[in-house]
Amino acid sequence: MVHLLDNSTLTAPLPPVVTELGRLFVAAGYELSLVGGPVRDLFLNRTSPDLDFTSNATPDQTLNVIRPWADSYWEMGRDFGTIGLRKDGFMIEVTTYRAEAYDPASRNPVVAFGDTLEDDLLRRDFTINSMALRLPSMELVDPYGGLKDLKAGLLRTPGAPSSSFSDDPLRMMRAARFASQLGIEVAPDVSEAMTAMAQRITIISAERVRDELVKLVLGDAPQRGIDLMVESGLADHVLPEVSALRLEIDEHHRHKDVYQHSLTVLEQACRLETGADGAVPGPDFVLRFAALMHDVGKPATRKFEPSGAVSFRHHDMVGSKLTAKRMKALRFDNDSIKAVARLVELHMRFYGYGEAGWSDSAVRRYVNDAGNLLERLHRLTRSDVTTRNQRKAERLAFAYDDLEARIEALAEQEELESIRPDLDGAQIMGLLNIKPGPVVGRAYRFLLEERMEHGPQSAEKAEAVLRTWWASQPESATS
């Protein structure tokens, strides 16, 4: 199917660099088409600084065309038929018509160049990404009904889903990602193929799986993408801890559906993100992934008590370790691993505040333990309330309002975000006449505990407390 388009037809404007590049290729005797996601986004009122093109020109021929025109260019993707360039702030890739497949035992794609645009489109992942805009004529080439599927909110593959997922199993993850990003429904045959072939995702490198997972979690409705992964069995291989949350619900309903609860917490955490000028600009991966993973320690800690109740003691600590282990397996960076695991570890810390109340020292410890994750912890804790009991929900919300107010009040008085002992290391060594070493660290930690417990003290009071502590230490006799 071919339609002639112009800018008035599209919901998003077409950047001038697109038609400029098209004219350059045609003048040199080659075909050029804008293809894939950028074409799809033209009908979704979305724009992207990244533009993908396909051509019958070889990489060498593409270089000859773009060298005089591009602001800069690079050849890292030459073996895959891709030349990258930058023009007027846009990142552009031009790829020779191609086929891409995986050897059943390999993690790496095998690339073969194709001959026609239509054949190139057939080899793409989904029909909504199998549309091309011929340039500079502005002809929409849509042989597989991508525009119709986009309007219907349906995700289909150009050919047989099993063939598409066999060629590149990562496409199954992309299906879940599009469910999250676009709110799109997956066609029944696509869902069936995902379920039948889920195990094949294991041949894909952890890094590529991780990148798709991040895009999914940052989508508009990540709970939909996660649910598709779980229902299809993909999560059994990518996030087995989340699949395991589907605990068998006992007939007496002595505990909530942990899996559905986790999806609800994820959804609520997304809604609590603030704008770009706020404390947690959205979309925020750390908050969202912590919300998804916060209860993954429950399956391993579930216990049926003699009273008939169900307990999950220490599931926060167990969940933190499981989260860190999974993120390491997916090759996440250390900072992200530490942040998400720490939030999972701390997500239960608030409970009990409403009943017993906390001393100022307990509030200080809460802030100190959260560190730069405090704003995310606020949102995670609030998101974790999914009870249908309105009174309980209101009581918890009121208690957390009170805790945040106390944190704010103490912060104004004591600079909570930078809590330090009242004496630094140099002062400790001078006062006790000791050299750098483990003893200084012990003294520093002692003074930090004093600061947490009693708040800021004068230098004289801190010195007196330190001297009293020092008198009880075995090293004091030899100093």
Side-chain angles (χ1 to χ4, degrees), residues 88-99:
D88 295 344
F90 288 92
M91 300 292 289
I92 293 171
E93 288 189 346
V94 180
T95 302
T96 304
Y97 296 154
R98 68 183 185 184

Side-chain angles (χ1 to χ4, degrees), residues 172 176 179 185-186 188 190-199 216 222-237 239 242-247 257 259-260 263:
M172 295 184 286
E185 296 291 334
V186 175
V190 173
S191 178
E192 291 169 8
M194 289 174 66
T195 302
M197 303 178 68
Q199 192 275 338
L216 184 161
Q223 68 279 4
R224 296 184 62 168
I226 293 296
D227 198 38
L228 179 56
M229 286 182 61
V230 170
E231 291 300 319
S232 66
L234 274 177
D236 293 345
H237 308 287
L239 289 174
V242 174
S243 292
L245 291 174
R246 294 180 296 177
L247 299 171
D257 183 335
Y259 171 64
Q260 289 299 329
L263 292 186

Side-chain angles (χ1 to χ4, degrees), residues 114-167:
D115 299 315
T116 69
L117 174 59
E118 286 74 15
D119 286 346
D120 183 272
L121 296 177
L122 176 62
R123 299 174 184 119
R124 294 183 178 268
D125 53 4
F126 302 105
T127 60
I128 62 172
N129 297 327
S130 296
M131 297 183 286
L133 195 60
R134 285 192 191 273
L135 300 166
S137 62
M138 298 289 288
E139 292 177 297
L140 177 67
V141 181
D142 182 18
Y144 308 106
L147 186 55
K148 178 181 177 182
D149 288 341
L150 188 62
K151 291 179 178 179
L154 187 67
L155 197 67
R156 295 189 306 113
T157 54
S162 57
S163 297
S164 180
F165 298 155
S166 180
D167 283 347

Side-chain angles (χ1 to χ4, degrees), residues 429-444:
M429 289 187 287
L431 188 66
L432 302 182
N433 193 28
I434 58 177
K435 295 179 180 180
V439 177
V440 179
R442 283 188 4 236
Y444 186 92

